[in-house]
């Protein structure tokens, strides 16, 4: 099979600390925010952000950087750097208040910020911080509830997940999910289920109480389908039963939750685990397609074409269309400029 076409950058810059997450503003698509993670003393394992038994004594720092893309679309300027009290593991704008975004931190907290664009120079400002867990607990990932603006779900270095209301510093439900770090989590589109992936190779489905009163129930846990930690989960809009997963084992997989089996898998990049998956666009035609941006750590980035074939068996296919390999270290995050062709 032919190698994917390589793409080159039109602009690049080096930050003071390693970038760990990035997201474009949904309200001002020429702006994006980068979070950084710097571990003062650590040992790496397979290139991953390592959290071991000594992590409580390790020093982590981070900051947020706001960038603006120039009108020509090929330059970007740093507008602001805002230090954070600890390292930043994850960052997402709120689907309910799109000028606001939240970050997951290395000291057990979730912090909220606001992007202001009504002045000559856009800025980000700190709103509040919810210290939800002990400072030795690392919040590895966060996701907003699709329909309840008060709720977020987080995954933790302890292997637990939590549903929380950060505005009141309240952890509503804290429940075990993985025997090792819980790297990632995501709600189903209508928030009936919560999926998580961990360093124990498990992909887990949790059933959610519609009223939010009862703790989520683990529906099933699959430890056989991934050969290493499950690091990324993306529900595909073409079919509510289907997930796209990424793993440290370098594969992406199309996973059928109804049958709990892998329909097709493909090595996304040689020498790089799949850390994040970001939907670029989808086309729900007879032959449904999704374009997905994969952040593949040591191997750079890949643009994936996910195809639901229109033939009789309705099979699936994964194609690697493009590869970006100019990075000098590891690619932990990527995003697309919304609203642009």
């Amino acid at each position: 099979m032919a190698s994917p076409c390589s793409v080159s950058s039109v602009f690049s810059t080096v930050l003071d600390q390693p970038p760990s997450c990035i997201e474009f503003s949904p309200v001002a698509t020429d702006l994006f925010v980068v979070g950084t993670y710097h571990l003062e003393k650590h040992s790496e394992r397979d290139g991953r952000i390592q959290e071991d038994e000594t992590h409580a004594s390790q020093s982590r720092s981070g900051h947020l950087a706001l960038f603006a893309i120039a009108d020509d679309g090929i330059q970007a300027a740093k507008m602001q750097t805002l230090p954070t009290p600890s390292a930043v593991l994850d960052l997402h704008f709120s689907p309910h208040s799109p000028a606001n975004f939240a970050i997951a931190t290395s000291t057990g907290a979730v912090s909220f910020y606001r992007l202001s664009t009504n002045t000559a120079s856009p800025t980000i400002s700190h709103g509040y911080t919810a210290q939800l867990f002990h400072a030795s607990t690392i919040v590895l990932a966060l996701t907003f509830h699709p329909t309840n603006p008060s709720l977020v779900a987080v995954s933790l270095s302890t292997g637990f997940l939590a549903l929380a209301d950060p505005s009141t510093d309240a952890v509503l439900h804290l429940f075990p999910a993985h025997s090792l770090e819980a790297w990632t989590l995501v709600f189903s589109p209508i928030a009936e289920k919560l999926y998580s992936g961990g360093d124990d190779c498990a992909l887990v489905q949790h059933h959610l109480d519609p009223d939010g009163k009862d703790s989520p129930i683990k529906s099933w846990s699959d430890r056989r389908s991934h050969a290493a930690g499950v690091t990324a989960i993306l529900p595909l809009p073409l079919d509510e039963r289907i997930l796209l997963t990424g793993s440290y084992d370098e594969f992406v997989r199309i996973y059928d939750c109804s049958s709990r089996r892998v329909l097709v898998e493909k090595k996304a990049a040689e020498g790089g685990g799949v850390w994040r998956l970001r939907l670029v666009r989808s086309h729900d035609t007879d032959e449904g397609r999704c374009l997905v941006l994969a952040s593949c750590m040591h191997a750079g980035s890949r643009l994936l074409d996910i195809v639901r074939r229109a033939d009789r068996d309705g099979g699936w296919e994964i194609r690697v269309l493009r590869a970006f390999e100019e990075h000098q270290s590891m690619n932990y995050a990527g995003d697309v400029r919304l609203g642009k062709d």
Side-chain angles (χ1 to χ4, degrees), residues 10-13 30 32 67-70 72-79:
V10 296
F11 170 83
S12 64
T13 189
D30 60 330
F32 62 91
F67 284 84
I69 297 179
D72 62 10
I74 59 174
Q75 295 290 324
K78 186 191 294 184
M79 309 298 293

Side-chain angles (χ1 to χ4, degrees), residues 37-317:
Y37 177 111
H38 180 61
L39 185 58
E40 302 291 347
K41 184 174 62 176
H42 72 291
S43 60
E44 285 195 355
R45 182 179 71 206
D46 299 332
R48 66 188 72 181
I49 297 176
Q50 172 65 15
E51 311 301 346
D52 58 25
E53 65 273 12
T54 65
H55 73 261
S57 63
Q58 295 174 336
S59 175
R60 297 172 183 79
S61 59
H63 65 252
L64 297 171
L66 175 64
F67 284 84
I69 297 179
D71 292 339
D72 62 10
I74 59 174
Q75 295 290 324
K78 186 191 294 184
M79 309 298 293
Q80 182 185 5
T81 299
L82 187 63
T84 55
S86 54
V88 182
L89 279 295
D90 200 9
L91 180 158
H92 293 291
F93 279 89
S94 168
H96 312 290
S97 302
N100 299 328
F101 64 91
I103 63 170
T105 77
S106 61
T107 52
V110 174
S111 295
F112 287 78
Y113 293 80
R114 183 169 183 82
L115 172 61
S116 299
T117 59
N118 54 1
T119 60
S121 180
T123 59
I124 50 179
S125 57
H126 177 251
Y128 64 94
T129 293
Q131 189 65 51
L132 300 175
F133 312 100
H134 190 274
S136 63
T137 299
I138 301 168
V139 184
L140 295 171
L142 67 86
T143 184
F144 284 92
H145 193 282
T147 59
N148 188 333
S150 299
L151 296 184
V152 298
V154 295
S155 64
L156 306 175
S157 57
T158 59
F160 279 66
L161 307 182
L163 291 176
D165 181 352
S167 65
T168 61
D169 281 355
V171 177
L172 305 178
H173 301 292
L174 179 65
F175 50 102
H178 299 273
S179 59
L180 297 171
E181 294 96 330
W183 291 121
T184 188
L185 78 172
V186 64
F187 285 104
S188 63
I190 56 175
E192 291 180 336
K193 303 176 182 69
L194 181 67
Y195 299 101
S196 64
D199 209 43
D200 55 1
C201 305
L203 174 66
V204 182
Q205 178 183 280
H206 313 265
H207 181 75
L208 301 177
D209 175 17
D211 298 325
K213 296 179 180 179
D214 296 327
S215 182
I217 299 172
K218 184 183 291 187
S219 304
W220 49 259
S221 177
D222 181 348
R223 294 174 180 263
R224 298 175 299 174
S225 296
H226 299 80
V230 179
T231 47
I233 304 171
L234 177 67
L236 292 180
L238 302 176
D239 191 325
E240 63 181 11
R241 302 166 299 175
I242 302 298
L243 302 175
L244 183 68
T245 67
S247 171
Y248 277 133
D249 65 12
E250 305 176 2
F251 279 81
V252 288
R253 294 174 172 87
I254 295 176
Y255 189 91
D256 186 340
C257 294
S258 60
S259 62
R260 280 186 270 171
R261 65 186 180 94
V262 175
L263 301 181
V264 65
E265 63 181 28
K266 188 176 185 64
K267 179 168 282 194
E270 190 75 36
V274 182
W275 185 251
R276 294 186 196 269
L277 297 167
R278 177 70 170 175
L279 181 67
V280 178
R281 63 170 65 93
S282 65
H283 303 283
D284 192 5
T285 58
D286 288 341
E287 183 178 75
R289 310 182 76 132
C290 290
L291 287 179
V292 175
L293 180 64
S295 299
C296 298
M297 301 173 68
H298 283 296
S301 301
R302 298 293 185 271
L303 183 64
L304 309 177
D305 187 19
I306 312 300
V307 181
R308 182 189 62 196
R309 297 194 303 268
D311 53 24
R312 179 175 296 179
D313 64 6
W316 293 80
E317 186 177 358

